[in-house]
Amino acid sequence: MNDESDGALVRRTCSGEPRAFEALVRRHEKTVFNAALRMLHDREEARDVVQTVFLKVYEHLGEYDPSHKFYSWIYRIALNESIKSLQRRKPTAALDVETPDGTPGPEGAFDQRQLSDGMAAAIMSLRTEYRAVIVLRHFMDCSYEDMAAILELPEKTVKSRLFSARQLLKTAMGTRGWASE
Amino acid sequence: MGVGMTSQDTTLELINAEIDGVLTGPQRAELNRLLLADPSVRALRDGLTRTCRTLEEMPREDIPSGLHEAIVTGLPVATPRSHGLRRTGFTSWPLLRYAAAFGGGLLVSALAFQFGKLDSTEFGAGQLAGTIADATHAEARMIVNLDQARGSITLMGAAEAPQVVTSLKSSQSVSIVTRLHEDGWVEVQVVDDVTDKVLQRGNLRIGAEH
């Protein structure tokens, strides 16, 4: 079943094989969780989003249009649910992200954990539309074409937004004292 | 590179294309020329490359313990077909996706398009169940002559409630996907279950010339 395409697993699920859907969950759950985590910076919220995403996918599986990529459909739902979760937060909650500075460790170098924490904070400092393109490109491995389909935007707009988001991240990392600037 | 782009836009596009691995040969030459000519371009490229490398090297977290089980056990008992297969937001005609997946052997079955007359957005599993049918009163037929499957897919019965009758011998798992359009045409696809590629497609309508 692991070698089967997403489309085949969808058809099997619709034909009454629940184990086929479990294979779809197993295939996509980690990517969806990491995307939600980078959008929200909160493991519990990300967990809730992942559950909601797969429930919605299951409930609407009969409406899935097989002429589109299945993962594009599921990623769009994941992004939308993450954004909804952000909108439910209190306005100040988004500021509760720990923002470690770029002070080097005892060896005089930044370790990977520090860099990752700094980058996670920098990602959270981006506006939602910029954060979304960073998450799609770097955490969901989407092509420009995929991103355009998921966001329902022209590819040119997606590229422009992605390039701006990367520059904003580079500046944010520089402001925090990391070496990206 | 589009018309009206500034040199800074062009530089940014080239650097980002390099990062994303989509730089063409001529673009590579242009980027190399810019890098040699302008130290600020080198600094910009180094900074963006480092930023993206940091993004790529961020650890991908494992899903929380118990999440997979929570997802699977939290699903509704009913299969998705009883929730889905309804009028969708982006189509104006009733949609039927009959996933008759089978692998090997001979399949002879029929599917009645009764849901086109339903007002309800849902229908029961019984309406999807295939039955053995005689295809001798065929009205429209699509011959399938593929390496993966051979036989025929036939549309028969009344135009407003046609039946799709499949009589196929397959050597691997394929699906027959059908859609009924409002104008009476039935779109038929034979899909490879492994690659998900459409192996053959056709349109059938009772009374139409083929």
Side-chain angles (χ1 to χ4, degrees), chain B residues 35-68:
Chain B
L35 289 168
L36 280 172
D38 190 343
S40 70
V41 174
R42 288 199 294 276
L44 179 63
R45 183 235 214 172
D46 289 349
L48 284 172
T49 302
R50 199 158 41 235
T51 298
C52 292
R53 195 186 312 130
T54 304
L55 283 168
E56 296 298 329
E57 289 174 356
M58 287 176 78
R60 269 51 177 173
E61 308 262 346
D62 287 333
I63 63 165
S65 171
L67 176 57
H68 177 83

Side-chain angles (χ1 to χ4, degrees), chain A residues 5 8 11-12 14-15 22 26 29-30 34 43 58-59 64-65 137-138 144 163 166-167 179-180, chain B residues 12 16 20 47 50 56 59-62 65 68 78 81 83 86 97 99 173 175 179 191 193 196:
Chain A
S5 68
R11 286 192 294 278
R12 286 187 187 282
C14 289
S15 299
E22 189 175 351
R26 200 170 292 284
E29 62 191 357
K30 186 170 180 178
N34 275 275
R43 281 181 70 87
Y58 190 80
E59 286 179 335
Y64 163 63
D65 180 352
R137 180 70 191 99
H138 292 283
Y144 299 149
F163 301 167
R166 284 171 172 166
Q167 278 201 292
S180 291
Chain B
L12 262 182
N16 278 285
D20 290 322
R50 199 158 41 235
E56 296 298 329
R60 269 51 177 173
E61 308 262 346
D62 287 333
S65 171
H68 177 83
R81 67 184 176 201
H83 289 264
R86 62 186 73 173
R97 191 177 305 125
S173 180
S175 287
R179 282 173 168 161
V191 183
D193 275 343
D196 212 29

Side-chain angles (χ1 to χ4, degrees), chain A residues 151-166:
Chain A
L151 297 170
E152 296 179 306
L153 290 171
E155 201 171 303
K156 192 178 170 189
T157 306
V158 165
K159 282 163 73 172
S160 167
R161 196 175 283 183
L162 176 65
F163 301 167
S164 297
R166 284 171 172 166

Side-chain angles (χ1 to χ4, degrees), chain A residues 6 21 23 26 42 47 49 67 83 109 118 165:
Chain A
D6 284 348
F21 191 75
R26 200 170 292 284
D42 184 302
R47 182 191 165 103
V49 162
S67 67
I83 290 167

